[in-house]
Amino acid sequence: MPDIKLRDVQVASIGADTTVLRSRTWDRLKFEVEYSLQKGTTANSYLIQAEKSAVLDPPGESFTEIYLHELQQHVDLKHLDYVILGHINPNRCVTLKALLELAPQITFICSKAGAVALRTAFPKRDLKISVVRGEEVLDLGQGHKLQFIAVPTPRWPDELYTYDPETRILFTDKLFGTHICGDEVFDEGWKRLDEDRRHYYDCLHAAQFRQVEIALDKFAPLSVNFYAPGHGPLVRFSKSRLSHDYRQWSQQQKDKDLTVAMIYASAYGNTATLAQAIAKGITKAGVAVELINCEFTDPTEIQAVVEKCDGFIIGSPTLGGHMPTQVQTALGIVLSTATKSKLAGVFGSYGWSGEAVDEIENKLQDAGYHFGFDTMRVKFKPTDAILQQCKEAGTDFAQALKKAKKIRAPRQPVSDSQIDRTEQAVGRIIGPLCVVSAKRGEISSAMLASWVTQSSFNPPGLTVAVAKDRAIESLMHTGDNFVLNILKEGMNLRRHFLQPFAPGQDRFVGLATQTAQNGCSILNDALTYLECTVHSRMDCGDHWVVYAIVNSGQILQSMGMTAIHQRKSGSQY
């Protein structure tokens, strides 16, 4: 990654008459969950120049100026015929507005929901819009007879995919993307993308896995050379593998025992971002999410999901001091359908007031529902810290559901003698008690850990097992830094980190700390500390095993013994 932040447009020919314009940044674009690894991104737009010309998916406002400058080097905008839109949002509309000034003759190709979004964004313009309704084909000449596949999703109800049978390129917009910036146009060396691809799926698609499966089914009959997504490298060398992974990841969501209905509406995208973050926290804890955008979902479908879910969460913006009509309808369905044993949650964003969130919370409280986290009210655009708090709230909600399920299930007292002998044997594995502290940007976290061991001499390395539902897990991806604070015998630090923490709560309040060279926290009362960088991660069931390189370390106290964690069973810490 360059030492300075830069943005540019990389141009490459990817097929007959087809060019990709990859607007690139090594910085983070905005506060969205999927950008949290902060590895930069590319916003991929595509240009097909045959007898007629078409641009697919112009980027958002972060790239408007440099993108349009580069586009004009490759096509005369006065003769540009079409702009094909996989989805529409306010960010992209900034570029579309600038493009319309240069090319007022263009015709937009989009879904029905996309047409509504366009007319809402440009109420005073007489736009030329061709709405895709079924089996339409857009003939650009020279064999480029474009086919369209509409798959509405809760996050993008206007989602539209495009297939060119001439080049056998499938333009997949939000599917199969990766938020990583680099020089490779295609996915050479794709194995190194595994972690980033899974993170992208978990953030964007895990909560709408049913729509992912629908899209994959519609793609199956097509003869596809490669996928051309909206972000990251184009998928050629790992096309079959990534398609299989998306199937498998979606099946994993379907197979989960517990489900949460995430019901929301979003005026400017902020409430949707909060929903996405809460859903990420829920799914990482092993609970499935059914994402429901009530602006585009039939009430009967909402009722069906609410009836079968184990818990529900409602999110709303505040418009004119009230919740939108669609949210009012959904709330009425919940109140008349959901049993009082189902766990509830409320969140929302607002500009000047937050009456809608308060109204939802009050109605659910009056009806006798119990809440899985404290109601979240966010003013304007959420920050990184707020999104982390949302993820932790989602995880708390999922854990509360699991606990409730165990309480409802019949239980019999189990003595030590009845514990499975294998579990007893595994429990005899001991490890040092440590506190792992991590920080990325304005987000920091810490956890008590005992599954720690040295793993290599040269380079000096160690492994730490991190449960997938731990808050710190999102700060321990490849390339992240952390400090391993090794504790000495005694209970003070151990007792502090054994207490439950509220979502977003500072883990270091009341403790003496200093800042390591890598920016993470050192506990002054620890026996010793090691500064580490994550080298790789391995998926191990309900944990990630993180292998890290030790960069430096220091003994803080020459006297004292390392604290050891003794267990009776291998089925718990």
Side-chain angles (χ1 to χ4, degrees):
M1 180 183 299
D3 293 331
I4 59 172
K5 305 298 184 184
L6 62 88
R7 296 182 182 186
D8 64 14
V9 180
Q10 180 189 32
V11 181
S13 174
I14 58 172
D17 313 312
T18 307
T19 303
V20 61
L21 292 86
R22 304 175 77 229
S23 300
R24 304 187 296 178
T25 177
W26 281 263
D27 199 357
R28 181 177 178 178
L29 289 182
K30 55 187 175 179
F31 294 108
E32 296 279 5
V33 181
E34 75 271 18
Y35 289 101
S36 62
L37 299 188
Q38 299 187 7
K39 296 184 178 180
T41 193
T42 71
N44 303 331
S45 178
Y46 301 92
L47 172 63
I48 302 175
Q49 293 175 285
E51 295 170 15
K52 295 183 178 180
S53 57
V55 164
L56 289 87
D57 296 325
E61 63 180 316
S62 299
F63 302 111
T64 299
E65 185 176 348
I66 60 172
Y67 168 76
L68 291 179
H69 174 77
E70 189 65 40
L71 183 63
Q72 290 179 87
Q73 310 306 309
H74 299 274
V75 62
D76 183 355
L77 295 184
K78 293 181 180 180
H79 296 95
L80 178 63
D81 296 290
Y82 303 102
V83 173
I84 301 170
L85 298 170
H87 74 282
I88 300 159
N89 56 35
N91 187 43
R92 176 169 284 175
C93 285
V94 174
T95 303
L96 297 182
K97 180 179 179 180
L99 182 57
L100 278 168
E101 297 299 323
L102 300 170
Q105 78 286 345
I106 58 176
T107 297
F108 290 106
I109 308 294
C110 59
S111 65
K112 181 179 179 180
V116 172
L118 271 178
R119 293 189 176 103
T120 301
F122 301 101
K124 297 181 179 180
R125 300 202 63 144
D126 185 18
L127 301 178
K128 299 177 183 178
I129 302 176
S130 178
V131 176
V132 174
R133 301 184 185 277
E135 302 297 325
E136 292 92 344
V137 172
L138 180 63
D139 190 353
L140 300 180
Q142 298 172 207
H144 299 280
K145 297 181 179 181
L146 305 186
Q147 302 170 15
F148 303 103
I149 305 168
V151 183
T153 71
R155 190 72 168 89
W156 301 285
D158 55 344
E159 187 63 81
L160 185 71
Y161 309 111
T162 303
Y163 175 65
D164 185 353
E166 175 64 19
T167 56
R168 294 192 297 134
I169 299 174
L170 180 60
F171 301 93
T172 59
D173 192 39
K174 286 294 184 179
L175 280 181
F176 306 124
T178 314
H179 284 306
I180 187 168
C181 192
D183 294 329
E184 298 86 357
V185 174
F186 289 95
D187 56 340
E188 298 95 341
W190 55 268
K191 281 294 294 179
R192 64 182 174 79
L193 299 174
D194 281 352
E195 182 180 339
D196 299 289
R197 284 173 165 177
R198 182 58 192 266
H199 176 76
Y200 182 92
Y201 173 90
D202 286 345
C203 290
L204 293 184
H205 299 302
Q208 50 186 28
F209 64 91
R210 299 189 189 281
Q211 289 79 19
V212 170
E213 290 184 323
I214 291 171
L216 293 174
D217 288 343
K218 291 188 175 183
F219 296 166
L222 303 176
S223 175
V224 178
N225 187 15
F226 59 84
Y227 298 142
H231 302 285
L234 280 62
V235 183
R236 168 178 281 169
F237 304 104
S238 59
K239 178 174 67 67
S240 296
R241 165 63 186 275
L242 190 56
S243 299
H244 174 268
D245 285 345
Y246 265 58
R247 286 273 189 195
Q248 185 177 50
W249 297 337
S250 297
Q251 185 64 43
Q252 289 171 359
Q253 299 300 316
K254 186 187 299 184
D255 291 342
K256 290 178 178 178
D257 295 330
L258 297 171
T259 303
V260 175
M262 177 74 70
I263 305 166
Y264 75 97
S266 189
Y268 303 103
N270 295 332
T271 306
T273 297
L274 299 177
Q276 180 186 356
I278 297 171
K280 176 65 166 64
I282 294 172
T283 56
K284 72 179 286 190
V287 174
V289 175
E290 286 271 5
L291 204 62
I292 300 172
N293 186 334
C294 58
E295 294 182 86
F296 302 95
T297 307
D298 188 90
T300 57
E301 184 179 344
I302 297 176
Q303 181 176 351
V305 174
V306 171
E307 286 176 345
K308 70 178 182 179
C309 72
D310 300 280
F312 62 87
I313 302 173
I314 302 178
S316 177
T318 296
L319 302 177
H322 302 283
M323 67 182 91
T325 302
Q326 298 91 337
V327 179
Q328 293 181 25
T329 300
L331 178 60
I333 293 171
V334 168
L335 291 170
S336 63
T337 303
T339 61
K340 301 303 181 289
S341 62
K342 294 188 178 184
L343 204 62
V346 181
F347 69 96
S349 63
Y350 61 94
W352 305 109
S353 58
E355 293 92 343
V357 180
D358 295 335
E359 186 176 356
I360 296 171
E361 180 186 40
N362 291 336
K363 287 183 178 295
L364 293 177
Q365 283 180 336
D366 292 343
Y369 291 99
H370 296 284
F371 291 79
F373 56 78
D374 291 338
T375 296
M376 305 194 68
R377 302 168 178 83
V378 178
K379 190 172 184 178
F380 299 124
K381 200 170 186 66
T383 64
D384 267 347
I386 292 296
L387 294 180
Q388 180 67 16
Q389 184 178 346
C390 287
K391 285 188 282 187
E392 292 180 25
T395 298
D396 284 356
F397 192 95
Q399 291 171 337
L401 272 185
K402 291 180 178 180
K403 183 178 180 180
K405 182 180 181 183
K406 290 179 181 178
I407 291 174
R408 290 194 298 269
R411 296 190 302 170
Q412 297 180 357
V414 178
S415 66
D416 287 344
S417 62
Q418 293 173 303
I419 296 176
D420 183 84
R421 292 172 186 242
T422 302
E423 290 187 358
Q424 290 186 35
V426 173
R428 295 303 183 266
I429 299 173
I430 61 174
L433 269 176
C434 308
V435 171
V436 180
S437 65
K439 183 178 176 65
R440 187 196 297 137
E442 61 180 295
I443 306 302
S444 64
S445 192
M447 75 168 188
L448 190 66
S450 60
W451 293 3
V452 180
T453 185
Q454 183 173 351
S455 302
S456 60
F457 287 126
N458 186 22
L462 56 86
T463 56
V464 182
V466 183
K468 291 180 177 178
D469 60 2
R470 298 302 291 266
I472 201 173
E473 180 274 332
S474 61
L475 303 179
M476 297 186 69
H477 286 258
T478 302
D480 285 333
N481 295 315
F482 67 89
V483 165
L484 185 72
N485 296 276
I486 302 172
L487 306 186
K488 67 177 181 178
E489 291 180 329
M491 288 299 296
N492 289 342
L493 287 176
R494 184 189 312 191
R495 187 180 296 111
H496 176 88
F497 285 99
L498 281 173
Q499 68 178 316
F501 293 96
Q505 183 178 347
D506 186 350
R507 269 64 168 170
F508 303 101
V509 171
L511 299 179
T513 64
Q514 56 183 296
T515 302
Q517 292 182 356
N518 63 13
C520 304
S521 294
I522 299 168
L523 297 174
N524 292 348
D525 290 333
L527 185 66
T528 184
Y529 74 89
L530 302 171
E531 296 191 38
C532 309
T533 300
V534 178
H535 180 273
S536 57
R537 309 200 320 168
M538 183 169 67
D539 189 343
C540 296
D542 54 4
H543 282 67
W544 289 102
V545 171
V546 175
Y547 172 65
I549 303 300
V550 178
N551 302 313
S552 63
Q554 185 174 330
I555 295 175
L556 297 176
Q557 301 184 46
S558 58
M559 302 296 291
M561 298 292 291
T562 301
I564 300 297
H565 186 206
Q566 301 278 358
R567 295 182 296 155
K568 291 184 179 180
S569 170
S571 63
Q572 59 190 14
Y573 291 123

